[in-house]
């Protein structure tokens, strides 16, 4: 047992489970709700899991169900979850690099671009400074706008700014408004700071720190940083163009807006759909062709070692480069004049296929549990939960307790699963003294 707890990688699930249970207990107190009544266990557990996993999916009317104390608990759980994810990811990278052989250890350190084994304290300080600095900037912009343009009292404006800044950077999705951020879909001083905060928080500290440090020499970035930065930009642009085209004439979303309003609302929604979970459009009113677009973007998620979920941008584009190399008959998978290790390719395939299996199983469970549910709606909710995005078409709140528990488990797995699985695969490398004869079975 002592040997089990010596490995921080194995402690990651426990490190998230403990605050979830504590948060559930705090949210089950009478003073956590507006009506001063204890919420059901499933409601408290779902909300605490959603906050700690920085999903932001809600099954209640957040501003009208939870009291000020309840909202404070949700905010603290979200901040704790976001810092915990970044800290756990940092420690896992350092632990993995410590336990690998010298050759692989140097490769991992090269991919993290900056931090060595003895740099834990400096790394954690930089992470904390980055988080709080970004949240402070967002708070100032949003609070100032609410105070100056919407006549909010200073205290209320500051609280709203802090709450939504914490949710945005940590890629949560809880909002202090019943309809999310619909009221600010054409206000760039509110929607854009939160959108960019979610983008930055979803990049991950290795890519973010290297891109800032070496911004003049992007050609010299590591493969991981190139895949994350350029891949995120590509997904953001493709998603923006796709949603704008699909919703251009939809009167229920952006059809009645002028061109500038359509562009702003579409960009903000895509930026927040990939990882953040806020809605500046009514998700239930989107065109049918918009749902597959959002499902794919949510499933991919953000950068490695970030507050975002999903299979990660680097995993997705590594698979894309692998497919390209296979179609072209190339012996190696290369990205930017660098050959990608076969082990990394296998890890990417493993993470992606296991994630597809979990989303498929979760969707089937929801369809079995609840009658009359559309397949697209079930797939959307399951993908949103697993990718810790938090967007919903309204199905989550209508599910029975068993269905909500399925989403709760998916949020937990989606948060700790990719991190622990990736590190476990990296550490579970064995060398054989022999190899079996090779065969080449027919594929396809």
């Amino acid at each position: 047992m002592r040997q089990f707890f010596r490995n921080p990688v194995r402690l990651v699930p426990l490190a998230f489970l403990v605050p979830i249970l504590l948060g559930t207990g705090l949210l089950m107190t009478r003073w956590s709700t507006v009506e001063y009544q204890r919420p059901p266990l499933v409601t408290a557990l779902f909300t605490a899991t959603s906050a700690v996993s920085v999903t932001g999916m809600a099954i209640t009317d957040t501003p009208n169900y939870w009291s000020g104390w309840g909202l404070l608990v949700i905010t603290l759980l979200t901040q704790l979850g976001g810092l915990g994810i970044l800290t756990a990811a940092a420690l896992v990278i350092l632990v993995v690099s410590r336990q690998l052989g010298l050759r692989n250890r140097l490769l991992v350190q090269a991919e993290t671009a900056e931090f060595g084994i003895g740099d834990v304290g400096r790394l954690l300080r930089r992470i904390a400074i980055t988080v709080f600095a970004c949240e402070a900037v967002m708070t100032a912009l949003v609070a100032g706008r609410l105070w100056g343009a919407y006549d909010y009292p200073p205290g209320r404006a500051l609280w709203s700014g802090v709450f939504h800044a914490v949710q945005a950077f940590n890629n949560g999705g809880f909002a202090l408004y019943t309809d999310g951020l619909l009221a600010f879909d054409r206000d760039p001083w509110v929607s854009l700071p939160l959108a960019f905060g979610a983008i930055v928080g979803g990049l991950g500290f290795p890519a973010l720190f290297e891109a800032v440090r070496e911004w003049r020499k992007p050609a010299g970035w590591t493969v991981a940083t190139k895949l994350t930065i350029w891949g995120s930009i590509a997904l953001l642009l493709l998603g923006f163009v796709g949603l704008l085209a699909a919703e251009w004439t939809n009167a229920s979303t952006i059809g009645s807006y002028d061109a500038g309003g359509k562009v702003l609302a579409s960009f903000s929604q895509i930026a927040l759909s990939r990882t953040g979970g806020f809605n500046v459009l009514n998700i239930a009113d989107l065109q049918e062709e918009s749902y597959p677009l959002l499902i794919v973007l949510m499933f991919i998620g953000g950068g490695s070692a970030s507050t975002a979920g999903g299979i990660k941008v680097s995993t997705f584009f590594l698979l894309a480069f692998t497919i390209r190399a296979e179609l072209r008959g190339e012996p190696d998978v290369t990205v930017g004049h660098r050959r990608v290790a076969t082990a990394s390719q296998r890890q990417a395939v493993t993470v992606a296929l296991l994630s597809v299996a979990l989303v498929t199983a979760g969707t089937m469970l929801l369809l079995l549990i609840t009658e009359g549910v559309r397949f697209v709606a079930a797939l959307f909710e399951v993908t949103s939960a697993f990718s810790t995005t938090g967007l919903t078409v309204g199905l989550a709140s209508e599910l029975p307790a068993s269905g909500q528990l399925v989403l709760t488990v998916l949020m937990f797995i989606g948060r700790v699963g990719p991190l622990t699985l990736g590190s476990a695969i990296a550490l579970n490398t064995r060398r054989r003294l022999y190899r079996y004869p090779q065969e080449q079975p027919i594929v396809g």
Side-chain angles (χ1 to χ4, degrees), residues 55-132:
T55 304
M57 182 177 285
I59 56 176
T60 61
D61 183 358
T62 300
N64 295 318
Y65 185 88
W66 301 106
S67 65
W69 164 252
L71 293 174
L72 178 61
V73 170
I74 291 173
T75 304
L76 294 176
L77 290 177
T78 303
Q79 186 71 84
L80 180 63
L83 286 173
I85 291 162
L86 296 175
T87 301
L91 294 179
V92 163
I93 287 176
L94 297 179
V95 168
V96 168
S97 64
R98 183 196 297 270
Q99 296 189 21
L100 292 176
L102 178 60
R103 180 174 177 275
N104 289 328
R105 191 171 163 183
L106 293 174
L107 289 174
V108 171
Q109 186 169 340
E111 284 302 295
T112 58
E114 181 173 0
F115 300 100
I117 300 301
D119 293 330
V120 176
R122 184 164 65 97
L123 174 57
L124 298 183
R125 283 194 298 272
R126 288 196 63 181
I127 290 174
I129 291 172
T130 301
V131 170
F132 292 121

Side-chain angles (χ1 to χ4, degrees), residues 302-331:
S304 299
S306 74
T307 55
I311 64 171
K312 302 300 186 289
V313 175
S314 56
T315 301
F316 174 78
F317 281 98
L318 179 54
L319 291 174
F321 277 101
T322 302
I323 293 173
R324 187 192 70 166
E326 189 65 27
L327 292 177
R328 297 172 65 174
E330 296 178 353

Side-chain angles (χ1 to χ4, degrees), residues 339-405:
R339 180 165 50 90
V340 179
T342 302
S344 296
Q345 301 171 39
R346 292 166 58 183
Q347 291 169 18
V349 172
T350 302
V351 170
L353 290 182
L354 287 178
S355 298
V356 170
L358 283 169
V359 170
T360 302
T363 304
M364 291 177 62
L365 275 176
L366 281 194
L367 292 174
L368 289 173
I369 290 171
T370 310
E371 295 182 359
V373 175
R374 292 187 307 149
F375 169 75
V376 172
L379 178 61
F380 190 95
E381 302 291 287
V382 167
T383 305
S384 181
F386 174 75
S387 64
T388 68
T389 302
L391 288 178
T392 176
V393 294
L395 177 62
S397 59
E398 299 175 358
L399 291 173
S402 56
Q404 293 172 350
L405 287 175

Side-chain angles (χ1 to χ4, degrees), residues 12 114 143 214 226-227 255 260-261 282 290 303 329 339 350 367 375 416 430-431 438-440 442:
V12 170
E114 181 173 0
E214 302 290 343
K226 287 179 180 178
L227 291 175
N282 193 335
S290 296
R339 180 165 50 90
T350 302
L367 292 174
F375 169 75
V416 304
R430 295 182 296 176
R431 295 187 62 184
Q438 177 176 287
E439 281 196 22
Q440 188 168 347
I442 298 174

Side-chain angles (χ1 to χ4, degrees), residues 34-285:
V34 172
E35 296 182 355
Y36 203 67
Q37 294 181 354
R38 294 182 186 275
L41 173 61
V42 173
T43 299
L45 177 62
F46 186 100
T47 304
T49 304
S50 183
V52 174
S53 65
V54 293
T55 304
M57 182 177 285
I59 56 176
T60 61
D61 183 358
T62 300
N64 295 318
Y65 185 88
W66 301 106
S67 65
W69 164 252
L71 293 174
L72 178 61
V73 170
I74 291 173
T75 304
L76 294 176
L77 290 177
T78 303
Q79 186 71 84
L80 180 63
L83 286 173
I85 291 162
L86 296 175
T87 301
L91 294 179
V92 163
I93 287 176
L94 297 179
V95 168
V96 168
S97 64
R98 183 196 297 270
Q99 296 189 21
L100 292 176
L102 178 60
R103 180 174 177 275
N104 289 328
R105 191 171 163 183
L106 293 174
L107 289 174
V108 171
Q109 186 169 340
E111 284 302 295
T112 58
E114 181 173 0
F115 300 100
I117 300 301
D119 293 330
V120 176
R122 184 164 65 97
L123 174 57
L124 298 183
R125 283 194 298 272
R126 288 196 63 181
I127 290 174
I129 291 172
T130 301
V131 170
F132 292 121
C134 290
E135 290 177 355
V137 172
M138 284 188 288
T139 297
L141 291 173
V142 174
R145 180 64 172 176
L146 294 177
W147 178 39
Y150 294 89
D151 296 326
Y152 277 41
R156 183 186 173 194
L158 179 61
W159 164 237
S160 184
V162 170
F163 184 91
H164 292 101
V166 170
Q167 295 296 325
F169 187 85
N170 291 288
N171 283 267
F174 290 103
L176 294 179
Y177 308 97
T178 301
D179 55 0
L181 300 181
L182 260 67
F184 309 105
D185 59 348
R186 285 177 284 180
D187 189 337
W189 292 101
V190 175
S191 60
L192 287 184
L194 298 180
F196 283 113
I199 292 172
V200 173
L203 289 177
F205 70 88
L208 179 61
F209 290 169
E210 184 183 6
V212 171
R213 188 184 68 253
E214 302 290 343
W215 65 274
R216 293 183 178 180
K217 301 177 181 178
W221 291 347
T222 60
V223 170
T225 299
K226 287 179 180 178
L227 291 175
T228 300
I229 299 297
W230 299 123
S232 296
I233 292 174
L235 290 175
L236 187 62
L237 292 177
L238 290 174
F240 161 65
V241 172
L243 186 67
L244 184 65
E247 300 297 323
W248 186 270
T249 59
N250 185 359
S252 299
T253 54
I254 64 173
S256 60
Y257 298 175
D258 58 20
K262 292 179 180 181
V263 168
L264 176 61
S266 298
F267 175 82
S268 299
Q269 186 60 73
I270 284 297
L272 296 168
S273 296
R274 289 185 53 240
T275 56
F278 285 123
N279 64 294
V280 295
L281 301 176
N282 193 335
I283 303 300
D285 291 336

Side-chain angles (χ1 to χ4, degrees), residues 432-443:
R432 288 181 181 266
L433 299 179
Y434 60 91
R435 300 179 73 182
Y436 291 109
Q438 177 176 287
E439 281 196 22
Q440 188 168 347
I442 298 174
V443 177

Side-chain angles (χ1 to χ4, degrees), residues 410-440:
L410 285 170
M411 286 189 288
F412 182 76
I413 294 176
R415 173 46 57 203
V416 304
L419 180 60
T420 54
L421 177 62
S423 57
I425 294 174
L427 290 173
N428 190 29
T429 55
R430 295 182 296 176
R431 295 187 62 184
R432 288 181 181 266
L433 299 179
Y434 60 91
R435 300 179 73 182
Y436 291 109
Q438 177 176 287
E439 281 196 22
Q440 188 168 347

